[in-house]
Amino acid sequence: MTQRGSGPELADSTKEFTEYFRELVAGLGDSPGWYGTLSQRDPGGVNAYEQGVELAPWDVVHAVLHDLAALRGVPVEATTVGRAHRLYRAAAAARDAAPGSETALRARLEAMLRERHDAVLREREAAHAVNAYAATGADPDSPAAGGPANALAWARDDRERANARCAELRARLDAVETRLAEQFFTDRSAADRSPAPDDWFRARTPDVAQPPHGAAAGPAEPPEPTAPGGRGSRRARAPGRSAGSRPRGARFATSFDEVPEEGHEVRPAGPPGSAPAGPAAAPAPTPRGARFAGAAAEQPPPQAAAARADAGPRQARARGEAARLGGLRHAGRGGEAYVVLCEAAAGPAEALPVLARELERAGLAADVATLLWEFAALQPDRLAAAAAALAQDGRTGDCRTLLHQAAARPAAEVAVVAAALYDENRHDEAETLLVAVVRTRPPEDAAGIARERPGLAAPLLAAAALISKPRRRDIAAALRRAGLPDG
């Protein structure tokens, strides 16, 4: 999506970066290398980069620097990369500060998530083609073998670049949303202030608790006991703040929520009809919401120990698959290694965390990311089962990655995944999925999810509220337009 305000109205930093990028491309001359192949594959995108209509992704800039260094027969200099990166960051910051940047970033991220999903599917198909050709015993150096191998290399390159761009776009979108939320909070605070005489603001001594008139002064109340983890069971109220008031805006979502009564548990909204679980021992409070994703230490839940104890044959199989995969990687047989990962994704979802651990122990952590891509492309019910298995095993980071990838799928499939997670009482995982949806996709897509499963309307609104009040209003308006409940 093109962000308006570009073209003739580009900020100085964006103009400077665009001119610098054009100079780099011009330096390639008749030997454009990787960038020349990209120009043939995506001429429209390359033209947008060179005209400054779109910001050339950093991975493209980095590749051009390497093409130039290879053309000159010298290594890439760190100072050159540093200068290019500074110009790129300044141009990105200028675009993100422009009006409409939040919408533009969200649309770009949504498109990039789709591109990444498509790249995963193309990589899988190309790997199967390479493996099928190898099984025929034909000459691996023949021209016929070059086509599938080339397709596999480009699909893998596309997937890796899309992954890096998604991570960068998410970080930029988070920064823009935080800035807008702070601005909203500041504007509201200023609007709520009323003029007051100067003598209203006079020096005062610190408040000291005084007994009511006529009451005997007694010992001060002891401080409330501290809950595990160093937090008080109730938050101390700031001087001058009433019991019912609290800060507003996305920065304070969940961290300053209204304090529940003792013994009450706060959970995200679930589909209508879902009953809360019975009383249980209260765990140490954990920050909730989109801002705190990943903040808690990834400790396995109590059920994880039992699940690992029962691994048995499953762990032996996973260890064998990891050894087989490591042998293929060591021999440079990447296509066959990828087929092994595809076969693993076709197995039971409960085997995913076991195999992920064995891959990490074998020094194949990079293949865990590929394995998650494979599971993200499965049928929605199997994807939900995989996310539940990762959460059950305490691999919350991998679970979050899988659900972020799932957020790019069609609305009907996202609805199936979210509903399945709620059915399995995986409220936190369902919330992670829906937060990723409302953060990265247009409000109409969120309405499409609720249209498939009306019971998800309330959780979608709750997820949007964790991001910001304006975002919740956008989702509520889309739900109203779709004839769905908006509150």
Side-chain angles (χ1 to χ4, degrees):
M1 177 178 179
T2 302
Q3 183 176 341
R4 296 306 165 193
S6 56
E9 301 175 2
L10 284 172
D12 290 343
S13 54
T14 308
K15 286 182 179 178
E16 184 179 5
F17 171 77
T18 301
E19 292 170 358
Y20 175 77
F21 182 72
R22 287 176 186 157
E23 292 173 4
L24 292 179
V25 173
L28 295 174
D30 297 330
S31 304
W34 177 90
Y35 187 76
T37 307
L38 177 66
S39 301
Q40 296 172 5
R41 296 180 71 215
D42 184 17
V46 165
N47 183 64
Y49 300 155
E50 295 179 8
Q51 298 302 318
V53 178
E54 292 283 356
L55 185 69
W58 171 246
D59 65 273
V60 173
V61 180
H62 197 256
V64 172
L65 291 174
H66 278 267
D67 282 344
L68 275 173
L71 180 62
R72 297 165 182 168
V74 296
V76 179
E77 295 183 1
T79 54
T80 302
V81 176
R83 182 193 174 205
H85 198 236
R86 283 193 299 274
L87 292 173
Y88 172 79
R89 287 169 55 190
R95 286 179 176 267
D96 294 350
S101 59
E102 182 184 17
T103 302
L105 283 171
R106 186 172 288 112
R108 186 73 186 113
L109 178 56
E110 180 188 4
M112 189 52 58
L113 287 168
R114 288 196 299 269
E115 288 184 24
R116 185 176 67 181
H117 181 69
D118 292 343
V120 169
L121 297 180
R122 285 189 286 106
E123 185 179 7
R124 176 186 296 177
E125 293 173 0
H128 280 298
V130 169
N131 194 53
Y133 184 84
T136 64
D139 182 6
D141 297 325
S142 67
N150 188 56
L152 176 59
W154 273 107
R156 183 171 294 142
D157 183 75
D158 289 343
R159 188 251 302 165
E160 292 171 352
R161 292 178 186 277
N163 188 34
R165 294 177 195 179
C166 286
E168 180 192 347
L169 288 167
R170 275 201 182 96
R172 289 170 59 188
L173 180 60
D174 286 345
V176 169
E177 287 179 338
T178 299
R179 173 176 58 80
L180 293 177
E182 290 176 346
Q183 181 180 351
F184 175 79
F185 175 64
T186 302
D187 293 345
R188 285 290 301 273
S189 299
D192 290 344
R193 287 194 208 104
S194 57
D198 291 340
D199 60 357
W200 278 27
F201 304 100
R202 55 174 67 93
R204 53 181 298 183
T205 57
D207 292 336
V208 178
Q210 297 290 342
H213 181 68
E221 281 188 22
E224 296 190 18
T226 301
R231 288 180 179 271
S233 60
R234 293 174 180 267
R235 295 185 180 87
R237 187 176 305 143
R241 181 177 289 280
S242 64
S245 60
R246 60 173 181 155
R248 303 291 179 185
R251 288 185 60 216
F252 302 99
T254 74
S255 59
F256 285 90
D257 278 348
E258 295 164 1
V259 182
E261 293 298 324
E262 295 294 339
H264 284 235
E265 182 185 10
V266 178
R267 294 203 61 83
S274 61
T286 302
R288 299 289 307 282
R291 284 187 65 226
F292 298 102
E298 296 189 4
Q299 298 178 353
Q303 304 94 325
R308 291 181 182 178
D310 278 342
R314 183 175 293 155
Q315 184 168 358
R317 284 194 299 273
R319 190 167 296 150
E321 289 177 337
R324 180 185 170 200
L325 189 64
L328 292 171
R329 292 293 188 202
H330 183 71
R333 296 156 65 184
E336 295 176 58
Y338 186 71
V339 171
V340 172
L341 292 172
C342 294
E343 293 172 350
E350 294 76 11
L352 172 57
V354 183
L355 179 55
R357 277 199 306 278
E358 292 303 324
L359 290 174
E360 290 171 346
R361 286 173 183 163
L364 299 169
D367 282 315
V368 175
T370 305
L371 188 62
L372 292 176
W373 295 125
E374 290 303 313
F375 271 90
L378 295 176
Q379 293 297 317
D381 55 341
R382 296 204 60 217
L383 194 161
L390 289 169
Q392 175 85 6
D393 197 74
R395 298 185 68 90
T396 53
D398 287 343
C399 179
R400 188 164 52 250
T401 297
L402 182 64
L403 293 172
H404 283 174
Q405 295 164 10
R409 298 183 65 153
E413 296 181 4
V414 174
V416 173
V417 176
L421 290 171
Y422 277 122
D423 288 344
E424 292 296 322
N425 203 30
R426 290 291 173 186
H427 291 254
D428 289 346
E429 289 71 40
E431 180 187 83
T432 297
L433 173 62
L434 297 181
V435 166
V437 168
V438 298
R439 180 187 295 278
T440 62
R441 301 182 64 167
E444 290 71 21
D445 287 359
I449 293 171
R451 189 180 296 111
E452 294 290 332
R453 299 292 177 103
L456 294 175
L460 281 164
L461 287 169
L466 293 176
I467 297 173
S468 67
K469 284 189 173 181
R471 192 61 182 159
R472 188 189 185 283
R473 286 198 298 269
D474 292 343
I475 301 299
L479 291 173
R480 280 196 301 272
R481 290 192 294 270
L484 296 165
D486 60 345

